[in-house]
Structures are given as structure tokens and as C-alpha cells.
């Protein structure tokens, strides 16, 4: 993806109206737009925008990281988190659980990419953290001890810890600062979901260690903080999507509460939303649904990728494809494996 080129095309196709700008989709569709559209960004956002070089590049990477993970998590579903911009723009203008997931995974992606760049030494503004992890005010944190091994229980902080504090802070400044003064329910939900995304990283940091000692004797271990793999972040947020809570504005209008009284107040790590999702069965320009016609389904699965569910009970067609495969392989002295190419038949089901 080339965000800059796509943004240029988008400008030609669709004039940027205030409504989709206000929806905040600009960050996800093209981070650089945030700086361009806010002619005179103020405060922290201004610092990020003026220093176009490193941080904005990492923010763009983070957005792409989030989008790629979203497409992976939803590949077997009616709504597959397609990167088709017109559809995504509509999704982001609403406030469904899909909107919530995209906002959360984007905030997580931005945090992740910036933190990773700090550790790699790719940003001038930050570096990895040395020594014991510290809280925001510089106090030492009480942290869990590394996993016990039979080899050694002596360990110390060392090496290069992921500087997740910096990534969290920049993600907040870039994605949230424009909304801080608003308190309508959609804004509250957006900020909540951004935070839920970041927490999927922050609360799943782990400790990695390396052994020191003569010939692997491991008399001492040095340990450092590492972010979870981004796939793990995606998995956790996907769980939160499944259990997302529908909320409404409270009586004072300054917070939200569960729509249903027998549901407990959603926690900080939960994804929330206020609008029912469409069923995504048929194309609908208003909701951003692309429909599922032509999608490949799995006739033997009872899950979301099963033909019943994916094709919305419209039925499917079956075609036989011949796929090349290695066969009759044998070992040739020395040292080669030689195979023939066979064609195997496979049935493919496609939604009507
Ligand atoms: C841009 O980043 C550099 C390197 O970290 C920093 O020294 C400088 O103050 C920043 N400039 C602005 C305007 O924020
Ligand atoms: C996602 O869905 C769209 C619309 O149905 C389809 O065109 C696209 O091929 C799908 N992507 C994947 C990876 O299945
Ligand atoms: C279809 O679903 C079944 C059951 O879940 C699974 O074992 C199989 O690998 C799936 N086939 C494909 C092509 O994904």
C-alpha cells in the first residue's frame, strides 16, 4: 500500500467532507492527512506533524500493521475487514462493533510500530529502556519475576527493553488529542476503544531472558521487557470483539453504560459500540457492506466460513479446480530431491 498515492486518488474521487473527517477515519485512511487537514495543529500533535520524518513514518507503518492484522482476523467472516477504502470509510463513520475493532487495532498498531522503532534505534526521539522498568514518574515498578528455570534463579535487568511508554504516549497524542474536549458518546466510545487497543499491548508485556556463564552454565540471567507478538494482540482484540458490549449514553450524558441492565459495566480492555451492525450479506453503499457473493466458503465447516453462514443461506456453486502439487519425489545422490508435478482435484465452493 502506498498511502500517499492512495490519498491523492481519494482526493480526486471524493471531496473530503467534514462528516468523514469528523469521524476520525483520516488517521486510518492516511495518517499524514491528520497533519494536512489540521492546518494549524497545536501542542503535541503539532510537534509530531512538524517533525514529519521518523514518527509519522512509523505511525503509517502502525496503521498498515493494524489493517493487515484486521484482515487476517476477519478473513473467514462476512465482513472481512477489507482494505477497500470506500467501504472502510463507511465502516469508520458508524459506531458498530466493527468500527470499534478497527479503532482498537489501529491504536495498537501505532503503539507497536513506534515502540519497535525505538528498540531498533530507528527514531531519534527515543531508544529502548535500559535497566529496571520505570513508571511514568520515574519510580521503579514492582514487576513480575521472569519465569523460573531449573538452571538459575539469579537474574538482573539488562539488555534493551521495549520502551512501550513512549509508544503509548505518542499513540495517544496522535490519535486522541483532537477529541479530548468532546464528550459526545461516539467520541467517548472511540477513545475507549483506542485505549483498549493499547492495553492489549501494555498488559501483555512479557519478560525475555538470556543466560550468561561459562559454556552455557547459566549462573546469571539478564532479562528485559518485550512486547507480545502482534498476532497475539490481534487474537486478544478479536476475543474482545466477540464479547463487545453495546452501550448507551448515561443520564448525565458524560459517560456510557451498558444498554442491557444485566450486563456489567465494560472494563478498560473491552471493546464497546453503540450501533447494531448490518448483516453484511448484500452490498450496501450506505453501510459499507460489500456483500458475500463470490466469496469462497467451506462446505464442511459449521463456523463463520461455512457456506451456510458466509453465503447467508443463498446457496453456493461448486467448481472443481486442478491444483499442482509435488509428487513421486525421490532422492537423487547427492543431494537433491526430485519431484514430478501432479495435478490434484479440489472442490471449491463459492457463494451465490
Ligand atoms: C524533531 O525531532 C528532533 C529529533 O528528535 C528534535 O530534536 C526536534 O526538537 C524536533 N522538532 C520539533 C519541531 O519537534
Ligand atoms: C473480502 O471480501 C470482499 C468482498 O466480498 C472480497 O472481494 C475479497 O476478495 C475478500 N477478501 C478476502 C481476502 O477474502
Ligand atoms: C474446512 O473446514 C473443515 C472443518 O472445520 C477443516 O477441517 C478444513 O481444513 C477446511 N477446509 C479449508 C479448505 O479450509
Amino acid at each position: 500500500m502506498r498511502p500517499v498515492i492512495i490519498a491523492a486518488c481519494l482526493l480526486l474521487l471524493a471531496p473530503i467532507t467534514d462528516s468523514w473527517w469528523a469521524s476520525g477515519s483520516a488517521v486510518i485512511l492516511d495518517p499524514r492527512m491528520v497533519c494536512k487537514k489540521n492546518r494549524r495543529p497545536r501542542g503535541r500533535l503539532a510537534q509530531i506533524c512538524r517533525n514529519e520524518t521518523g514518527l509519522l513514518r512509523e505511525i503509517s507503518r502502525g496503521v498498515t500493521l493494524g489493517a493487515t492484522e484486521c484482515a487476517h482476523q476477519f478473513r473467514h467472516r462476512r465482513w472481512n475487514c477489507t482494505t477497500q477504502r470506500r467501504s472502510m470509510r463507511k465502516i469508520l463513520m458508524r459506531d458498530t462493533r466493527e468500527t470499534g475493532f478497527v479503532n482498537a487495532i489501529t491504536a495498537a498498531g501505532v503503539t507497536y510500530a513506534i515502540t519497535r522503532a525505538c528498540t531498533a534505534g530507528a527514531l531519534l526521539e527515543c531508544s529502548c529502556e535500559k535497566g529496571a522498568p520505570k513508571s511514568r514518574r520515574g519510580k521503579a515498578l514492582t514487576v513480575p519475576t521472569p519465569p523460573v528455570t531449573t538452571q538459575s534463579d539469579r537474574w538482573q535487568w539488562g539488555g534493551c527493553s521495549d520502551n512501550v511508554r513512549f509508544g503509548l504516549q505518542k499513540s495517544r497524542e496522535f490519535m486522541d488529542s483532537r477529541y479530548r474536549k468532546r464528550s459526545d458518546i461516539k467520541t467517548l466510545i472511540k477513545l475507549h476503544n483506542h485505549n483498549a487497543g493499547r492495553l492489549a499491548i501494555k498488559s501483555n508485556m512479557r519478560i525475555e531472558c538470556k543466560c550468561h556463564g561459562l559454556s552455557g552454565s547459566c549462573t546469571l540471567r539478564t532479562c528485559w521487557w518485550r512486547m507480545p507478538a502482534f498476532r497475539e494482540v490481534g487474537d486478544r482484540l478479536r476475543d474482545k470483539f466477540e464479547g463487545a458490549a453495546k452501550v448507551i449514553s448515561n443520564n448525565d450524558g458524560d459517560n456510557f453504560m451498558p444498554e442491557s441492565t444485566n450486563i456489567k459495566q465494560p472494563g478498560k480492555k473491552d471493546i464497546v459500540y453503540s450501533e447494531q451492525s448490518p448483516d453484511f450479506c448484500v452490498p450496501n453503499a450506505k453501510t459499507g457492506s460489500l456483500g458475500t457473493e463470490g466469496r469462497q466458503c467451506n462446505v464442511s465447516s459449521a463456523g463463520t466460513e461455512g457456506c451456510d453462514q458466509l453465503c447467508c443461506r443463498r446457496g453456493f456453486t461448486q467448481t472443481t479446480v486442478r491444483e499442482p502439487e509435488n509428487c513421486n519425489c525421490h532422492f537423487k545422490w547427492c543431494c537433491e530431491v526430485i519431484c514430478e508435478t501432479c495435478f490434484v482435484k479440489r472442490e471449491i465452493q463459492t457463494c451465490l
Side-chain angles (χ1 to χ4, degrees), residues 148-343:
V148 177
T149 66
T150 51
Q151 294 164 302
S152 168
D153 54 8
R154 279 188 59 216
W155 67 276
Q156 64 185 26
W157 291 108
C160 195
S161 282
D162 276 339
N163 185 357
V164 76
R165 270 187 309 144
F166 185 83
L168 291 167
Q169 184 196 334
K170 290 298 160 192
S171 166
R172 258 184 244 119
E173 285 172 8
F174 194 76
M175 295 188 69
D176 296 1
S177 55
R178 286 162 297 140
Y179 301 107
R180 281 281 151 70
K181 293 207 183 81
R182 302 199 346 214
S183 61
D184 57 295
I185 184 164
K186 270 196 172 186
T187 302
L188 292 175
I189 288 174
K190 187 202 298 287
L191 293 177
H192 176 100
N193 288 333
H194 285 171
N195 208 41
R198 292 182 199 114
L199 281 174
I201 297 175
K202 190 185 173 191
S203 53
N204 292 297
M205 298 290 289
R206 54 166 171 253
I207 298 177
E208 277 180 4
C209 300
K210 196 176 107 185
C211 277
H212 299 280
L214 285 174
S215 52
S217 62
C218 203
T219 44
L220 180 68
R221 289 187 294 162
T222 37
C223 304
W224 57 90
W225 279 117
R226 192 59 84 224
M227 289 189 291
F230 201 68
R231 175 57 34 84
E232 191 186 326
V233 175
D235 289 345
R236 284 180 192 270
L237 289 176
R238 160 79 187 271
D239 285 347
K240 295 299 182 187
F241 170 89
E242 310 283 0
K246 186 152 189 255
V247 297
I248 52 174
S249 188
N250 71 359
N251 293 334
D252 296 339
D254 60 357
N255 206 345
F256 51 75
M257 59 187 199
E259 182 181 50
S260 159
T261 48
N262 51 18
I263 291 177
K264 68 172 169 38
Q265 183 72 17
K268 284 189 168 185
K269 297 180 192 171
D270 294 326
I271 288 178
V272 297
Y273 65 102
S274 70
E275 250 180 79
Q276 204 57 47
S277 303
D279 63 15
F280 294 106
C281 280
V282 292
N284 181 332
K286 228 177 90 192
T287 60
S289 166
L290 294 168
T292 63
E293 189 185 333
R295 288 278 301 278
Q296 200 174 310
C297 60
N298 180 341
V299 77
S300 47
S301 164
T304 53
E305 87 266 52
C307 292
D308 255 15
Q309 281 202 44
L310 194 66
C311 310
C312 306
R313 300 181 193 281
R314 290 184 307 259
F316 54 91
T317 53
Q318 187 150 300
T319 44
T320 308
V321 292
R322 284 156 45 87
E323 287 184 339
E325 205 179 75
N326 286 338
C327 60
N328 301 331
C329 297
H330 60 271
F331 184 75
K332 191 181 158 207
W333 189 262
C334 177
C335 298
E336 246 182 312
V337 177
I338 296 180
C339 296
E340 290 169 35
T341 303
C342 303
F343 285 88

Side-chain angles (χ1 to χ4, degrees), residues 48-97:
I48 296 176
C49 289
R50 237 178 289 142
N51 241 339
E52 283 256 348
T53 47
L55 218 41
L56 267 182
R57 180 191 62 219
E58 296 310 328
I59 288 168
S60 289
R61 282 186 185 155
V63 170
T64 306
L65 182 66
T68 309
E69 183 59 25
C70 185
H72 172 83
Q73 292 291 339
F74 286 85
R75 68 201 182 284
H76 292 317
R77 294 180 163 250
R78 289 181 189 164
W79 177 72
N80 64 5
C81 198
T82 171
T83 47
Q84 220 206 59
R85 300 175 77 79
R86 222 174 313 167
S87 162
M88 188 53 97
R89 201 146 37 109
K90 286 285 153 55
I91 297 288
L92 291 169
M93 280 169 67
R94 305 187 69 105
D95 194 20
T96 62
R97 64 168 76 209

